[in-house]
C-alpha cells in the first residue's frame, strides 16, 4: 500500500510539475528586442520627419504589446500566454520596417525638391536684385526702395542659412528656407515691376 501511495504521489507531482512548466510561458524577449531595434532603425533613417504616421503606428503597437505582457505577468502562472504579445510585436517589426522604407524614399524625394527650390530661390533673388537696381528713383520712393532692399537683405540672410542645414541633411528645413527666399524675391520683383509700370505710364 505504501508503494502504491508513493507511486501515486510521484505521479501527481510529475503531472503538477509538467503543468507548471507548460503554464509558465516565457516572455517574448527576443521579439521585443527585434521590435525595439526595428523602431530605432526607422528613426535613424529619418522616420520621425519623413514617415511620422508609420513610425507612430509602430510605437503605438509596441506599447500595446508591453501592456499585454504586463497583463500576462499579472495572470495566474498556469494560465499565462504571451502569444498575443508576440503577434503584436511581430507586427511592430513589420510596421517599423515599412516606416524605414518610406522614410528613405520620402527623404530622397524631399532632397530633390529642396535642391530645386534652392536653385529657383537663387535665380529669383538675382533677378529681383537686378530689377531693383533699375527701379525708378524720385520723390516719395525712398521709403519704398529701402523696404525692398530690406526684403532682399532678409532673403540673402535666409539663403546663407541653408548650407549649414543642408550639411545636416535637414531637407525639409532647406526646402522651407528656400521657399521663404523665393517668396521675398517674388514680392520684390512684383513691387518693382509695378512701380516701373506706373512710372512708365506717368511719363507717357
Amino acid at each position: 500500500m505504501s508503494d502504491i501511495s508513493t507511486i501515486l504521489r510521484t505521479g501527481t507531482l510529475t503531472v503538477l510539475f509538467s503543468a507548471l512548466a507548460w503554464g509558465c510561458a516565457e516572455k517574448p524577449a527576443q521579439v521585443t528586442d527585434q521590435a525595439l531595434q526595428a523602431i530605432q532603425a526607422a528613426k535613424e533613417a529619418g522616420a520621425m520627419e519623413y514617415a511620422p504616421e508609420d513610425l507612430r503606428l509602430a510605437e503605438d503597437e509596441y506599447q500595446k504589446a508591453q501592456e499585454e505582457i504586463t497583463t500576462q505577468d499579472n495572470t495566474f502562472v498556469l494560465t499565462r500566454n504571451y502569444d498575443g504579445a508576440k503577434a503584436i510585436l511581430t507586427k511592430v517589426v513589420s510596421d517599423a520596417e515599412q516606416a524605414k522604407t518610406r522614410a528613405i524614399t520620402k527623404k530622397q524625394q524631399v532632397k530633390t525638391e529642396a535642391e530645386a527650390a534652392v536653385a529657383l530661390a537663387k535665380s529669383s533673388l538675382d533677378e529681383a536684385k537686378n530689377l531693383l537696381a533699375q527701379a525708378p528713383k524720385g520723390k516719395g520712393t525712398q521709403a519704398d526702395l529701402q523696404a525692398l532692399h530690406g526684403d532682399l537683405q532678409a532673403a540673402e540672410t535666409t539663403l546663407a542659412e541653408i548650407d549649414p542645414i543642408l550639411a545636416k541633411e535637414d531637407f525639409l528645413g532647406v526646402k522651407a528656407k528656400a521657399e521663404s527666399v523665393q517668396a521675398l524675391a517674388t514680392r520684390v520683383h512684383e513691387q518693382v515691376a509695378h512701380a516701373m509700370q506706373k512710372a512708365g505710364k506717368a511719363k507717357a
Side-chain angles (χ1 to χ4, degrees):
M1 189 70 178
S2 173
D3 291 339
I4 295 175
S5 298
T6 300
I7 292 171
L8 289 174
R9 283 198 301 271
T10 302
T12 301
L13 288 172
T14 301
V15 171
L16 179 59
F17 282 126
S18 297
L20 286 172
W22 175 82
C24 292
E26 292 185 1
K27 290 185 181 182
Q30 183 176 357
V31 70
T32 296
D33 289 343
Q34 290 173 348
L36 284 173
Q37 290 168 7
I39 289 173
Q40 184 60 32
K43 288 180 178 180
E44 290 174 356
M48 293 179 71
E49 296 82 12
Y50 300 99
E53 292 182 3
D54 295 285
L55 179 62
R56 192 178 304 114
L57 176 62
E59 290 180 325
D60 287 348
E61 289 294 320
Y62 179 82
Q63 184 59 39
K64 289 179 183 177
Q66 296 311 301
E67 290 171 359
E68 173 61 18
I69 289 173
T70 299
T71 297
Q72 294 304 319
D73 287 344
N74 295 327
T75 301
F76 181 57
V77 65
L78 294 180
T79 61
R80 287 178 189 169
N81 188 328
Y82 293 99
D83 288 348
K86 288 179 182 178
I88 298 173
L89 288 167
T90 299
K91 187 175 185 303
V92 170
V93 173
S94 176
D95 289 341
E97 289 176 348
Q98 178 172 286
K100 177 182 176 180
T101 299
R102 287 187 177 177
I104 292 171
T105 301
K106 182 66 176 178
K107 186 176 182 178
Q108 183 58 47
Q109 177 187 335
V110 175
K111 178 184 178 182
T112 301
E113 293 173 353
E115 290 172 344
V118 170
L120 181 59
K122 289 180 178 178
S123 175
S124 297
L125 186 56
D126 287 340
E127 288 179 8
K129 284 180 184 177
N130 292 333
L131 195 61
L132 184 57
Q134 304 171 39
K137 300 175 180 63
K139 187 177 180 180
T141 64
Q142 187 174 358
D144 291 338
L145 289 175
Q146 286 180 343
L148 293 175
H149 277 292
D151 285 343
L152 287 184
Q153 287 176 352
E156 288 179 330
T157 298
T158 302
L159 191 64
E161 295 170 351
I162 287 178
D163 284 344
I165 300 174
L166 188 60
K168 296 177 182 177
E169 296 190 349
D170 178 8
F171 301 119
L172 288 172
V174 169
K175 186 179 178 184
K177 292 283 187 183
E179 289 174 348
S180 177
V181 172
Q182 172 69 21
L184 286 168
T186 298
R187 184 168 69 186
V188 171
H189 191 287
E190 290 175 348
Q191 290 186 14
V192 173
H194 180 67
M196 292 176 73
Q197 186 179 20
K198 277 183 66 177
K201 288 181 179 179
K203 287 181 180 179

